[in-house]
Amino acid sequence: MEQQQKEKYRTRGYSEDLLPKGAEQKTWKSVNYFTLWMGSVHNVPNYVMVGGFFILGLSTIGIMLAIILSAFFIAFVMVMNGAAGTKYGVPFAMILRASYGVRGALFPGILRGGIAAIMWFGLQCYAGSLALLILIGKIWPDFLLLGGDFNLLGLNLPGLISFIFFWAVNVAIGFGGGGVLNKFTAVLNPCIYIVFGGMAIWAISLVGIGPILDYVPTGVEQAENSGFLLLVVINAVVAVWAAPAVSASDFTQNASSFRQQALGQTLGLVVAYILFAVAGVCIIAGASIHYGVDTWNVLDIVQKWDNLFAAFFAVLVILMTTISTNATGNIIPAGYQIAAIAPSKLSYKNGVLIASIISLLICPWKLMENQDSIYLFLDIIGGMLGPVIGVMMAHYFIVMRSTIDLDTLYTAAGDYQFYENGFNVTAFSVTLIVVVLSLGGKFIPLLEPLSRVSWFVGVITAFVLYSLLKKREGTNVAARQKTA
């Protein structure tokens, strides 16, 4: 039956990468999901984010608690929004059609797998190349002097070489897909425990646990409304996962069962965030106390080490976590989404190649010259993708009752009878309304508190509103049929 179904979809023009996975292809167990997201938790931007939490005025215990609580929200959304992918073995680009329509799925799909993923892929490649420069500079100082006055749009020759090399490694991992990524993370995870666990022990040994727990950055006062700020921190941590959570099915399509992916993702994320909460606070606070300067970037800390081997190993692991983050959160979803734009002409690898070339053309090193614009962009993307998650989950669990007719997703070319001309108007209306509500605080002072917890507002409001509107639609249809 599975083979007949696949053959039918092939004749409709769908490439092998977009077809439903058969039982023999769904081989991922709990251990695969346990290791999958570790690198996405322990990376440079996340450690910099911990420094931002200190500036809010929260205590070290409060920050640790908020980060650990975040893991449960992230795991819940990753597991539940990946449920359809597990059941049907279908990637995100196709699952999205169920809730937004065959044509309607292109907009949120491109927003997630195209714009957000490609831009962030380029930025992560550039951030990783800076770490690679530190690594090379420790071993070969003269490398940093190559090229003299050479400059390409603001990038010198050592920086260009470092960026192109690191970009190529990331692209190679992307070409390998989930199978190569699993092998990569199996090697990476023990190294993460060694490096970040070791850095936490190093920081505690330098200044003691007491001063770390009492640490307050210079010029910062302890916050009074710590309850709301706790929610703000949780929202900030969870919002980082807005894009991966939307496209969770790209990975859960490989799961042997719902239980396997649910157990693996939950344990993996909770364990990863417990380590991150303790290590992040201890490393940032301990190093800031030891060096006498508030320090938010782990690369700045490692760069001050005299021990060449320790610095080399730490930067190498940081590079590996960046690659892991880039694969899971950016290049793999981008590959599937671009392939879905023209399923009869593009494969997953074509999508990866197109995405990686675009990530070069946007010159990410120029984008990083203005960090405010980067975080504003990510904030907006997160605020727009939160409602998409809410709509997807409401449609699958409430409206469809966990049942999808795959034939309506894998339509023949030009067949848009599924929804009105291929668009689910209700899904788009709810998404637009909730985006305005969750991001409106950036422009309307009255809504400012909502914008500080925009991810929660987006997901929960979209879920409830879409469920209610669809229930009302069903009631109206039933009433018209009864009258007729």
Side-chain angles (χ1 to χ4, degrees):
M1 183 62 182
E2 286 181 356
Q3 289 305 317
Q4 291 177 346
Q5 188 182 49
K6 281 189 174 185
E7 190 55 41
K8 180 169 65 173
Y9 300 155
R10 285 192 191 97
T11 61
R12 293 180 181 178
Y14 290 90
S15 67
E16 196 68 32
D17 300 306
L18 296 175
L19 297 179
K21 294 283 192 298
E24 74 284 354
Q25 296 172 290
K26 298 169 72 173
T27 58
W28 286 26
K29 305 292 185 182
S30 293
V31 65
N32 301 113
Y33 289 101
F34 181 85
T35 62
L36 180 63
W37 301 112
M38 185 71 74
S40 299
V41 175
H42 295 274
N43 56 64
V44 174
N46 276 0
Y47 277 86
V48 173
M49 185 169 60
V50 173
F53 296 157
F54 276 113
I55 294 174
L56 289 175
L58 276 175
S59 67
T60 52
I61 296 296
I63 293 172
M64 287 185 191
L65 177 62
I67 291 172
I68 292 171
L69 288 175
S70 302
F72 292 94
F73 289 105
I74 295 166
F76 176 79
V77 175
M78 294 295 292
V79 168
M80 299 309 290
N81 207 38
T86 303
K87 184 174 181 178
Y88 294 98
V90 173
F92 156 70
M94 303 306 296
I95 291 291
L96 190 61
R97 291 180 166 195
S99 47
Y100 282 86
V102 175
R103 300 175 78 181
L106 287 176
F107 176 71
I110 290 173
L111 181 68
R112 188 298 174 238
I115 299 172
I118 292 173
M119 179 177 175
W120 198 234
F121 177 76
L123 291 171
Q124 288 277 19
C125 282
Y126 178 62
S129 73
L130 297 178
L132 182 59
L133 273 179
I134 293 174
L135 191 65
I136 297 172
K138 289 278 187 182
I139 303 168
W140 180 16
D142 289 342
F143 174 80
L144 303 179
L145 303 175
L146 291 179
D149 295 330
F150 174 88
N151 187 290
L152 179 65
L153 298 174
L155 204 60
N156 60 22
L157 185 59
L160 179 63
I161 295 171
S162 175
F163 174 72
I164 294 296
F165 176 79
F166 191 67
W167 170 86
V169 172
N170 279 265
V171 173
I173 296 291
F175 275 131
V180 171
L181 180 62
N182 249 306
K183 295 174 183 176
F184 181 81
T185 54
V187 174
L188 171 63
N189 280 9
C191 297
I192 287 176
Y193 285 105
I194 293 170
V195 168
F196 292 105
M199 288 182 74
I201 294 170
W202 163 79
I204 293 170
S205 67
L206 286 176
V207 301
I209 191 65
I212 287 175
L213 294 179
D214 294 333
Y215 169 70
V216 178
T218 305
V220 175
E221 296 182 2
Q222 287 291 317
E224 294 180 4
N225 189 9
S226 57
F228 180 69
L229 285 179
L230 201 72
L231 188 59
V232 169
V233 170
I234 294 173
N235 182 81
V237 176
V238 176
V240 171
W241 290 81
V246 167
S247 55
S249 291
D250 283 341
F251 298 96
T252 60
Q253 64 174 326
N254 302 304
S256 58
S257 70
F258 176 80
R259 182 180 182 278
Q260 292 290 330
Q261 69 98 343
L263 183 63
Q265 289 203 95
T266 302
L267 288 177
L269 285 163
V270 170
V271 170
Y273 266 107
I274 289 174
L275 173 61
F276 173 71
V278 175
V281 167
C282 289
I283 292 168
I284 297 299
S288 297
I289 296 168
H290 175 67
Y291 292 116
V293 178
D294 292 327
T295 306
W296 311 136
N297 195 328
V298 288
L299 288 176
D300 293 337
I301 296 170
V302 171
Q303 204 166 13
K304 295 175 181 178
W305 291 355
D306 295 325
N307 188 310
L308 181 60
F309 174 77
F312 179 91
F313 185 61
V315 174
L316 182 63
V317 171
I318 290 171
L319 285 170
M320 292 171 70
T321 63
T322 305
I323 293 170
S324 175
T325 303
N326 237 356
T328 54
N330 301 316
I331 198 64
I332 289 178
Y336 279 119
Q337 187 55 51
I338 291 174
I341 294 173
S344 62
K345 298 178 180 178
L346 297 174
S347 67
Y348 164 76
K349 288 187 176 181
N350 295 148
V352 169
L353 181 62
I354 292 169
S356 57
I357 291 173
I358 295 174
S359 74
L360 276 179
L361 297 178
I362 63 174
C363 300
W365 56 91
K366 297 296 291 183
L367 294 173
M368 284 192 72
E369 289 178 353
N370 187 346
Q371 288 189 333
D372 289 341
S373 63
I374 293 170
Y375 286 112
L376 177 62
F377 174 82
L378 291 173
D379 217 13
I380 291 173
I381 291 295
M384 295 178 78
L385 290 179
V388 174
I389 295 172
V391 168
M392 288 179 69
M393 291 176 64
H395 185 84
Y396 181 67
F397 290 107
I398 305 300
V399 178
M400 302 302 294
R401 299 185 184 277
S402 304
T403 301
I404 294 176
D405 178 9
L406 292 184
D407 274 354
T408 61
L409 302 189
Y410 291 88
T411 57
D415 181 6
Y416 300 127
Q417 294 180 13
F418 179 43
Y419 291 125
E420 187 176 343
N421 200 27
F423 288 89
N424 182 351
V425 177
T426 305
F428 272 93
S429 301
V430 168
T431 302
L432 182 61
I433 292 169
V434 179
V435 164
V436 171
L437 186 65
S438 59
L439 293 179
K442 296 186 179 300
F443 314 100
I444 306 171
L446 185 64
L447 298 177
E448 195 272 337
L450 294 181
S451 70
R452 301 191 72 182
V453 288
S454 59
W455 188 89
F456 284 105
V457 171
V459 174
I460 296 171
T461 307
F463 184 93
V464 172
L465 184 58
Y466 184 80
S467 300
L468 291 175
L469 287 175
K470 277 297 182 181
K471 183 178 180 180
R472 184 180 177 186
E473 282 182 21
T475 303
N476 290 341
V477 169
R480 285 197 297 270
Q481 290 174 343
K482 187 176 180 180
T483 302

